[in-house]
Amino acid sequence: MAIVYFDKEHVKIVDMFGDGENDSSKRIFSSNYEFMIFAAMVGRSTHDSCDNVQISKSSKMIKEGTFGDKQNIAYLLALDGAKNGEIMRAGNENEIWKYLESYAYLGCEEIKKWIADSPIEDLHEVVLNKIMEAAIPLIKDN
Amino acid sequence: MNLIKLTTMNWRNFYGEHEIVFSNEENKHVTLIHGQNGTGKTTMINAIKWCLYRTTPDFDDEIKIDGIDNVEIAHWDTWNSKIENGKVVKTTPNDKDSLFKVELKFEHDGIEYRATREADQKDMRGKSIAPGKDDFTLFKKDKSNSETLIEEPQSAISRILPAELSDYFLFSGETVGKILDSSADGGNGYKNAVRDILGFTLSDVALKDLDQLLIKNTRKKNSLIQADKLTSTYGNKLISLNEDKSYINEQLVGFKEESRILDASYEAITKEIAETGHEQEKKIGAELKQKEDYKNKEIVRRIGFIKDKIDLIEEYGFTIFGAFLEKEVRPLKKAKFDGKLPNGVIDTFVTDLLEKHKCICTRDLLEKTTEYDAVEALLDTANTSVIDNRLTKAFNATAFFTGRANKFIKALEGVSNQLDKSDGLISSYTNACEDLESALKGFGNTNVATLLSNKKTLWESCNKKREDISLKTIILNRNKIEIAKIESEIQKIQTNNPELEMRRDFERVINVTKKRLIFNQVKYEKSARGQITKTVHKNMLEYSHNEFTANVDENFNVNLTVSGTNTIAAGAGKGTEMLSKLSFITALISFSKLRKNAESAWAAPGTVAPFVIDAPFSEMDEDYQKSTLKFLPEQSHQLVIFLSNGQWREHYEEVIGDYIGKRYYYKNHIKPGGNLTQSKLPINGKEYKVEVDDWDKSHFGTTIVEIK
């Protein structure tokens, strides 16, 4: 079973977004794995490759099984990255999940920039604005 | 705990001796007591409370600040009267009539107990008996049926059903809303009481113990670091930072307690304003309190809307940022569809050929031949079910993405509109409160003006205290980060000190244990909340008149919500609100009963006690009343209901009749010259006279009559 890690540099940001926030009414993601999925997608949207990412493992680790249905996203990122179905072969788990881990790293870096650049104090508003920016070009007329 | 029998002597309007035997029969576990309003329904619940805990909460209103000081329980001077020429005349009071007594027989864990409290009216001081003047005894029956006196009766009662939990089992109508109002006591008391009923506070105690161990261990560890030349500078810093941490933690505990008291005082002063001055002032005061209540409810709703808004991030964020991936993997999807991903050969097909030793070209595939090896090599690149499954999952993931942007924007607009409306309402309530306060000041009543001024000061103090808490929390977090940094630096220095290593290991063990305890607490509490909510949902779905249901939040607040969402409902009506609250209480009691025999290492078994209620039906319509009478017996193990005659309908018999094991009604003996209303109570085709004009020495006040 594969295990993915957040980088040591991102422990604070994971605490801010994930289960580090004790007040659940203010918690942005219900769990760290949900935040990792989000961060990975942000990372993938800003980078075409994650080949050069080197993770310095922190104590914030997540086991593959924890992701439940969201494992699909890890497979999607791996397929997109490898552009070949071979990567899905049994025994390649570490390679598959490496994509999620690396893109999450790049996503965390991007999110750090959002926070630093934004004049808005509320973290959730910063993120919602960014999602809105990404959503507008995707809108289809009903 | 199960109630067996309540016996009262000279208790309030029940002169002489009266008794209620409670039903304990399986499936006939309801004891129903019918009574007119103001004839002593709550009085009997208070008799139980007074007997067990020496508390009589509803007597507050009778105490006059400057006038009569003492509540009359025995009514001994009233009882000593006689009729002369058709009029009531007082006689010399008889000393023995000033004694009053309540005896409660109950069963707990298979043992029968008899609790008795007695006192003398002459020893009443305000609403209580003068200290040391009442006599409380508790006996338990052993197997041979003989009674043994329990040495410390009050402690024994606390172990069976602690006083602070009794409010959740012994209800008088108006207290239902009050005890379920978590804001009334700053939140923690209520939450902890509910957790206590469920048995979840045991691990709190363990966590406190672990914290103490951790503090001691940290002190010793830091002393060792300080004593070592290589790390002494860090040791000094750590000791100083840990001292600051302990000090700030202590301050925070104090601030939180002060904040809780301030909030409670603010609530009390708002209530006092609504009850001070002449009629017009009281009316405006009540309106002010109502507007403040609305405002506070709207603030809670607003928090819910913000949470709904935050939840959109998790629900839509990844799909929107990843939407373009659908296009990226489309060629791969087509390749899979065409059987070219990873290639057209399937492992099961290859295995089949190898097992049959026959190729599709009909040639033999004998082991250790070139042909066999060539076919076997195909397995390295053949498609497998694992690959197929993972590819399907990857492509399915993109199915999440279609149309999500539109849905996200629609949902964001929806919740933003709700937030705007909520902001508008909060602002209008704030303005209304300011106007009402001005109107109140306009009357020139100095008492009201003082109260308003005090309220303003309290409000400022409440805010100041919240700011203090927030500031101290920030400082504490910085302090923790600083400690973590220094400890990380120390780790890099090799000190070779086995004792220090042992301290570090011990610290790790404590932290892991704490983490596990907290994990279990969160997990089991979440599960308990889930199951309680499920029962509440079931009741609301079945009985609510509107589309509202109710959710139970982390603080065990029961909130009416719009079905299928977490949005807090507004304007649901008091009947629906009461239905949800009663539903929550019965669900809580029912779940606690399930936990009675729990053998978990981290939590204590749940509390089991009868549900005694003075039915709060005045705010409910007939449908809700009938529904309540249906689900209460279904979800309680022993139920005692005091029900107002005016709220009894014969067709309620259909839902509760089969559960009734014991039934009584109050008969009121009207004094000469009193108003005889000729009220009758219809039950199962019979009519019972609830008022009679047979007032004499042996028929005073109210008597209790069993309906067989």
Side-chain angles (χ1 to χ4, degrees), chain A residues 29 38 41 70 128 131 135 138, chain B residues 308-323 400-412:
Chain A
F29 288 92
F38 175 77
M41 285 308 206
K70 296 272 168 75
L128 279 167
I131 300 175
L138 302 173
Chain B
D308 288 348
K309 198 172 177 182
I310 291 174
D311 287 347
L312 297 178
I313 297 175
E314 184 172 309
E315 191 177 353
Y316 293 98
F318 75 99
T319 64
I320 288 167
F321 282 108
F400 274 133
F401 304 160
T402 319
R404 300 300 278 172
N406 286 37
K407 282 184 183 164
F408 166 72
I409 289 172
K410 203 174 163 192
L412 186 61

Side-chain angles (χ1 to χ4, degrees), chain A residues 24-25 27-30 34 41 45 72 75 79-80 85 88-89 93 96 124-125 132 139-140 142, chain B residues 307 309-310 313-314 318 321 325 341-342 380-382 390-391 393-395 401 406 408-409 412 554:
Chain A
S24 68
S25 67
R27 196 178 293 161
I28 294 183
F29 288 92
S30 56
E34 290 281 5
M41 285 308 206
S45 72
N72 298 3
Y75 296 134
L79 181 65
D80 164 64
M88 298 299 173
R89 194 170 290 284
E93 285 74 21
I96 292 170
H124 69 269
E125 291 293 348
M132 184 60 113
I139 295 174
K140 287 174 192 159
N142 289 325
Chain B
K307 182 67 189 133
K309 198 172 177 182
I310 291 174
I313 297 175
E314 184 172 309
F318 75 99
F321 282 108
L325 285 175
L341 182 71
D380 295 340
T381 54
R390 286 175 176 172
L391 284 174
K393 282 183 174 175
F395 295 128
F401 304 160
N406 286 37
F408 166 72
I409 289 172
L412 186 61
E554 289 188 337

Side-chain angles (χ1 to χ4, degrees), chain B residues 290-571:
Chain B
Q290 190 190 43
K291 293 281 180 212
E292 290 216 352
D293 287 345
Y294 287 159
K295 186 174 128 184
N296 291 336
K297 276 188 184 169
E298 197 51 43
I299 289 170
V300 173
R301 260 162 61 84
R302 192 181 183 281
I303 293 169
F305 292 139
I306 290 176
K307 182 67 189 133
D308 288 348
K309 198 172 177 182
I310 291 174
D311 287 347
L312 297 178
I313 297 175
E314 184 172 309
E315 191 177 353
Y316 293 98
F318 75 99
T319 64
I320 288 167
F321 282 108
F324 72 101
L325 285 175
E326 194 271 331
K327 212 171 178 180
E328 294 287 314
V329 298
R330 205 179 287 161
L332 296 164
K333 198 173 182 179
K334 187 174 180 308
K336 182 176 187 300
F337 185 74
D338 295 341
K340 292 175 185 167
L341 182 71
N343 68 41
V345 185
I346 301 168
D347 61 340
T348 48
F349 172 72
V350 179
T351 317
D352 197 40
L353 295 180
L354 294 172
E355 278 173 5
K356 287 178 180 165
H357 298 288
K358 202 66 142 181
C359 185
I360 46 169
C361 62
T362 70
R363 271 192 287 182
D364 286 339
L365 289 175
L366 299 173
E367 283 178 42
K368 294 179 185 170
T369 62
T370 321
E371 286 86 355
Y372 185 93
D373 291 345
V375 173
E376 194 181 32
L378 287 173
L379 279 177
D380 295 340
T381 54
N383 200 354
T384 68
S385 58
V386 172
I387 297 177
D388 210 48
N389 184 261
R390 286 175 176 172
L391 284 174
T392 307
K393 282 183 174 175
F395 295 128
N396 281 348
T398 61
F400 274 133
F401 304 160
T402 319
R404 300 300 278 172
N406 286 37
K407 282 184 183 164
F408 166 72
I409 289 172
K410 203 174 163 192
L412 186 61
E413 273 174 4
V415 75
S416 299
N417 284 340
Q418 282 177 315
L419 264 172
D420 288 346
K421 276 185 201 162
S422 190
D423 285 339
L425 277 173
I426 291 168
S427 166
S428 76
Y429 288 139
T430 307
N431 292 338
C433 289
E434 282 170 8
D435 291 347
L436 288 165
E437 283 188 7
S438 299
L440 269 178
K441 278 179 197 160
F443 286 110
N445 183 332
T446 48
N447 283 344
V448 175
T450 311
L451 285 171
L452 283 171
S453 160
N454 290 346
K455 180 173 163 247
K456 195 178 170 210
T457 314
L458 263 173
W459 177 248
E460 283 159 7
S461 305
C462 288
N463 282 339
K464 171 82 178 52
K465 203 48 70 186
R466 282 188 206 111
E467 278 171 23
D468 287 346
I469 292 171
S470 173
L471 190 69
K472 286 287 166 195
T473 310
I474 292 169
I475 296 172
L476 189 66
N477 286 339
R478 280 189 193 151
N479 174 292
K480 283 179 186 169
I481 291 168
E482 193 65 21
I483 290 173
K485 265 187 196 167
I486 295 174
E487 287 188 338
S488 156
E489 290 300 318
I490 296 170
Q491 291 281 5
K492 293 174 192 167
I493 303 167
Q494 296 292 329
T495 54
N496 291 326
N497 183 339
E499 197 186 341
L500 182 59
E501 280 313 306
M502 190 269 285
R503 292 283 161 204
R504 281 180 179 147
D505 285 345
F506 189 50
E507 187 177 71
R508 273 191 284 273
V509 169
I510 296 174
N511 281 327
V512 168
T513 313
K514 274 181 69 181
K515 209 171 170 181
R516 281 189 186 164
L517 267 175
I518 293 166
F519 176 79
N520 274 328
Q521 271 188 335
V522 172
K523 190 170 91 176
Y524 287 102
E525 284 189 34
K526 195 177 170 188
S527 156
R529 274 200 311 278
Q531 294 205 42
I532 291 170
T533 303
K534 208 170 153 186
T535 311
V536 176
H537 274 179
K538 185 177 157 279
N539 289 337
M540 296 300 286
L541 187 71
E542 203 165 336
Y543 306 120
S544 172
H545 293 343
N546 38 46
E547 84 271 41
F548 300 137
T549 182
N551 280 338
V552 180
D553 71 14
E554 289 188 337
N555 294 319
F556 291 98
N557 291 309
V558 52
N559 298 315
L560 277 172
T561 51
V562 177
S563 287
T565 70
N566 287 325
T567 307
I568 293 177

